Amino acid sequence: MKISKVVEKMQPSGIRAFFDLVLGMKDVISLGIGEPDFVTPWQIREAGIYSLEQGFTSYTSNKGLYKLRLGIHRYLKNKFGVEYCPDEEILITVGVSEGLDLVLRATINPGDKILIPVPSYVSYGPVTELAGGVPVYIDTSRNGFKITPELLKKHIDKKIKAIVLNYPTNPTGVSYRRKELEDINRVLLKHKILCISDEVYGDLTYDFRHVAFPALPGAKKNTVYFNGFSKSYAMTGWRVGFACGPKDIIAAMTKIHQYTIMCVPITSQMAAAEALVSGRRSVELMKREYNRRRLLMTSELNSLGLKCSTPQGAFYIFPSIKSTGLSSMDFSRKLLEEEKVAVVPGTAFGACCEGYIRISYASSLDNLKEALSRIKRFLEKRTPRA
Amino acid sequence: MDEILEILEKDGRASIEDIAKMTRKKPNEIKRAIKKYEKEGAILKYKAVINKDLIKDNESEVRALIEVNIVPQKDLGFDKIAERIYSFPEVSSCYLISGTYDLLVVVEGKNLHTVSNFVAEKLSCLENVRGTATHFLLKKYKEDGVVLKHKSENKRIAISY
């Protein structure tokens, strides 16, 4: 059977082989995990269990449980001052991943170009291609991994339909302050470029307040905002995310969603609704813990000679390994084989990230310290003593 | 609560250097702050949390929670009689509480006899003690925020985006 051409050319094979290597090895300390090391807070799990006991096992409306959409409406209003109508402007999706697929399919006509600053989360490019669009990658590596209005303008032409922003960013932990976002927003509004804003790590912002993109002046009507429960509430396996945006786009997304997914599992939606009611304190406590690890890891990696700036959000650090002379893939493979520490090669997130690795600090302090001492040993073997 | 205390409450062995890095402060500042907390008694002591069920050669130990009703003393209230009770070395914790009784006293002893002897011969015959109810502890599930069982296995897959 012939496979579709678009699908056939997807997914860099080198990375897949490396992932398989990690998965096949025992007793690895993994700093390569893109999900929280916390278990979902108990009161949220309990709400899921209770909903099953009560017999909530049916479909929900395509858009998702009303009480969950209402909870999201309140959360966004209180936290960012942005108001989305729970009836027409909010859609519950299977994680942010589904939402991104929906918005791209709902807006792209064949040949439309989508701007994607790289390094980026791995799905943006392939999902754009699946929707018939053309990804246009913006290399931010010489710019502290940040997109700026200047960099943005260089890539704009008539065929650009939208940009996929992600902040705090996976894999770099980079985020943006209000002023920087306002500058980007002005360019997008001027050139009528839709902003697809993946803010799933927004609650994990450490040095300043996270600003939701639709909260910027004039941005709401030009933005589809994405968030979810996976990262902030440690609910990755429940698969609940949400999209908020102009009602015509949400309606178009809902059309696709109703045929492909129908609705997000009701147990997950029930648990997510509880998370919004009683989970905020848990988020704060987890964030405090991540913050300490972030500062410790940044300081230690720099003193080991793996240069990195302090990430402002998420739970990733993106250090340079150029001092070792190894490629990202060689470094990762050797570190795994020699010291049993797993990291993700930077090249997984874009070709421009050769010379970098992604380290996730979503792991216990003890694990992190053990990993650091192994990395230290690994590096010492490579630097001949003077 | 100060972040230094928050870190130490989770891990009493956290080093000054690590705490300094985690809080973006100078090691000397941390050292000084900890000294101050120790002096003021905010930090009382550092100890390990031990799951005694797992210690094979452990001499068996019995623990009881005792509800104590007392007659408060004029001018001194409950404090004086509480002091007479918590000063016994058998008492590991002592709390004044609201509700149907006054003091909750936690007593530890080698066996049932030592604990009941303590209640019968020392506690109950204090003149301000009106009555006691002793509950022997059968199993500990969680103590001071720590669940007393082996760490569960990591359930996450070893690498993901």
Side-chain angles (χ1 to χ4, degrees):
Chain A
M1 188 64 160
K2 277 267 196 306
I3 302 297
S4 127
K5 286 202 181 84
V6 186
V7 175
E8 216 164 26
K9 70 169 208 191
M10 274 166 54
Q11 176 69 36
S13 53
I15 295 292
R16 196 65 265 164
F18 174 69
F19 273 38
D20 289 341
L21 199 65
V22 176
L23 294 174
M25 208 180 259
K26 271 196 173 153
D27 302 323
V28 171
I29 295 189
S30 184
L31 308 183
I33 307 180
E35 63 178 321
D37 57 311
F38 300 102
V39 176
T40 307
W42 174 248
Q43 73 275 21
I44 300 173
R45 281 186 276 160
E46 208 276 336
I49 296 167
Y50 183 67
S51 80
L52 286 171
E53 282 177 355
Q54 292 291 298
F56 286 101
T57 56
S58 60
Y59 294 130
T60 70
S61 83
N62 294 135
K63 288 176 190 163
L65 285 176
Y66 185 76
K67 73 168 175 179
L68 178 55
R69 284 181 278 141
L70 189 63
I72 290 163
H73 158 85
R74 288 189 182 133
Y75 161 76
L76 294 174
K77 188 175 161 194
N78 294 336
K79 184 137 190 187
F80 304 114
V82 193
E83 283 199 58
Y84 282 106
C85 164
D87 283 314
E88 293 182 312
E89 295 178 323
I90 299 176
L91 172 66
I92 311 298
T93 56
V94 180
V96 171
S97 299
E98 191 221 348
L100 279 161
D101 180 35
L102 293 178
V103 75
L104 290 167
R105 282 202 273 169
T107 55
I108 288 176
N109 285 309
D112 282 346
K113 291 182 183 170
I114 304 295
L115 292 173
I116 302 172
V118 277
S120 79
Y121 179 63
V122 294
S123 82
Y124 302 155
V127 174
T128 300
E129 286 169 1
L130 279 174
V134 180
V136 176
Y137 297 105
I138 307 179
D139 179 351
T140 63
S141 64
R142 264 177 240 127
N143 210 16
F145 300 116
K146 275 191 171 183
I147 182 86
T148 57
E150 294 69 39
L151 210 48
L152 190 56
K153 280 178 203 158
K154 272 190 211 157
H155 292 81
I156 291 176
D157 64 42
K158 285 265 173 316
K159 292 293 278 177
I160 301 290
K161 181 99 182 204
I163 183 169
V164 184
L165 280 186
N166 167 224
Y167 66 95
T169 308
N170 176 8
T172 58
V174 159
S175 197
Y176 299 84
R177 290 171 192 269
R178 177 178 284 276
K179 171 81 176 61
E180 299 170 290
L181 293 171
E182 280 175 352
D183 292 345
I184 294 170
N185 182 41
R186 263 194 295 276
V187 179
L188 298 182
L189 289 178
K190 187 179 165 202
H191 293 90
K192 297 195 169 60
I193 295 171
L194 176 72
C195 181
I196 295 170
S197 193
D198 174 357
E199 301 179 31
V200 74
Y201 292 100
D203 274 339
L204 303 176
T205 303
Y206 305 107
D207 293 330
F208 45 85
R209 277 175 78 97
H210 179 80
V211 178
F213 206 87
L216 301 169
K220 192 185 159 211
K221 60 181 187 325
N222 187 50
T223 303
V224 186
Y225 166 91
F226 292 90
N227 198 346
F229 296 83
S230 297
K231 314 295 179 174
S232 40
Y233 295 91
M235 291 180 72
T236 45
W238 300 81
R239 312 301 308 124
V240 191
F242 51 91
C244 307
K247 63 179 180 186
D248 54 337
I249 298 183
I250 293 296
M253 289 167 68
T254 308
K255 252 192 209 173
I256 308 170
H257 174 81
Q258 72 182 349
Y259 290 130
T260 52
I261 299 289
M262 208 97 121
C263 68
V264 173
I266 191 168
T267 316
S268 298
Q269 292 195 56
M270 290 289 214
E274 176 63 28
L276 288 172
V277 174
S278 66
R280 293 309 299 174
R281 173 144 177 80
S282 305
V283 175
E284 275 313 303
L285 291 176
M286 289 188 275
K287 182 176 144 185
R288 288 173 76 88
E289 185 69 39
Y290 287 134
N291 182 39
R292 286 178 210 132
R293 299 175 188 173
R294 167 183 81 118
L295 296 172
L296 181 79
M297 288 300 284
T298 312
S299 158
E300 296 286 309
L301 287 168
N302 274 309
S303 66
L304 289 179
L306 301 183
K307 293 290 166 223
C308 49
S309 51
T310 308
Q312 294 141 335
F315 35 65
Y316 307 111
I317 306 185
F318 206 61
S320 161
I321 48 130
K322 288 174 185 165
S323 60
T324 64
L326 295 170
S327 72
S328 299
M329 184 56 91
D330 282 348
F331 182 97
S332 308
R333 196 180 284 269
K334 287 193 162 78
L335 181 63
L336 178 69
E337 283 163 354
E338 291 173 29
E339 297 290 348
K340 292 197 164 189
V341 175
V343 298
V344 180
T347 41
F349 304 96
C352 67
C353 301
E354 183 54 84
Y356 294 89
I357 53 168
R358 189 193 76 178
I359 282 180
S360 158
Y361 50 88
S363 190
S364 71
L365 262 182
D366 288 342
N367 270 344
L368 294 175
K369 283 186 194 164
E370 173 60 25
L372 283 168
S373 75
R374 292 186 191 188
I375 293 173
K376 186 172 180 212
R377 198 162 56 199
F378 177 79
L379 292 170
E380 276 168 358
K381 269 190 278 180
R382 280 169 172 76
T383 355
R385 290 216 185 88
Chain B
M1 192 162 65
D2 182 358
E3 190 150 29
I4 299 173
L5 292 176
E6 206 178 303
I7 293 168
L8 284 173
E9 200 181 22
K10 282 191 176 170
D11 178 10
R13 295 197 302 173
S15 71
I16 300 221
E17 288 70 30
D18 284 353
I19 300 175
K21 284 170 194 156
M22 288 190 269
T23 54
R24 285 205 259 214
K25 290 192 174 115
K26 298 224 162 55
N28 268 335
E29 267 179 78
I30 304 291
K31 212 186 250 173
R32 241 178 293 136
I34 292 178
K35 273 265 151 59
K36 185 162 163 276
Y37 285 131
E38 288 172 349
K39 208 170 148 203
E40 291 169 353
I43 296 176
L44 286 168
K45 66 193 286 183
Y46 302 87
K47 61 177 196 175
V49 181
I50 294 169
N51 186 355
K52 289 184 181 162
D53 291 349
L54 293 181
I55 298 168
K56 297 261 160 29
D57 61 347
N58 192 31
E59 292 174 26
S60 64
E61 195 178 70
V62 179
R63 211 184 230 221
L65 309 180
I66 305 168
E67 303 167 4
V68 184
N69 260 308
I70 57 180
V71 184
Q73 266 180 320
K74 197 160 192 279
D75 299 332
L76 294 165
F78 293 108
D79 293 354
K80 199 70 199 163
I81 182 73
E83 188 182 342
R84 287 192 67 182
I85 293 174
Y86 68 64
S87 298
F88 285 110
E90 291 90 339
V91 174
S92 65
S93 307
C94 180
Y95 310 95
L96 177 67
I97 53 179
S98 63
T100 51
Y101 56 99
D102 308 304
L103 292 180
L104 176 65
V105 178
V106 182
V107 174
E108 281 170 7
K110 278 211 165 62
N111 50 43
L112 234 86
H113 279 293
T114 46
V115 174
S116 21
N117 280 350
F118 171 78
V119 177
E121 289 167 19
K122 303 218 170 106
L123 192 59
S124 307
C125 37
L126 289 173
E127 63 174 311
N128 298 68
V129 170
R130 238 178 354 197
T132 62
T134 304
H135 309 274
F136 283 100
L137 209 129
L138 301 180
K139 186 173 178 181
K140 279 195 269 184
Y141 295 102
K142 187 177 181 181
E143 196 163 59
D144 291 335
V146 182
V147 176
L148 300 173
K149 68 176 179 189
H150 275 303
K151 274 186 191 161
S152 59
E153 261 177 75
N154 180 17
K155 297 182 180 77
R156 298 184 297 169
I157 52 170
I159 196 154
S160 56
Y161 292 118

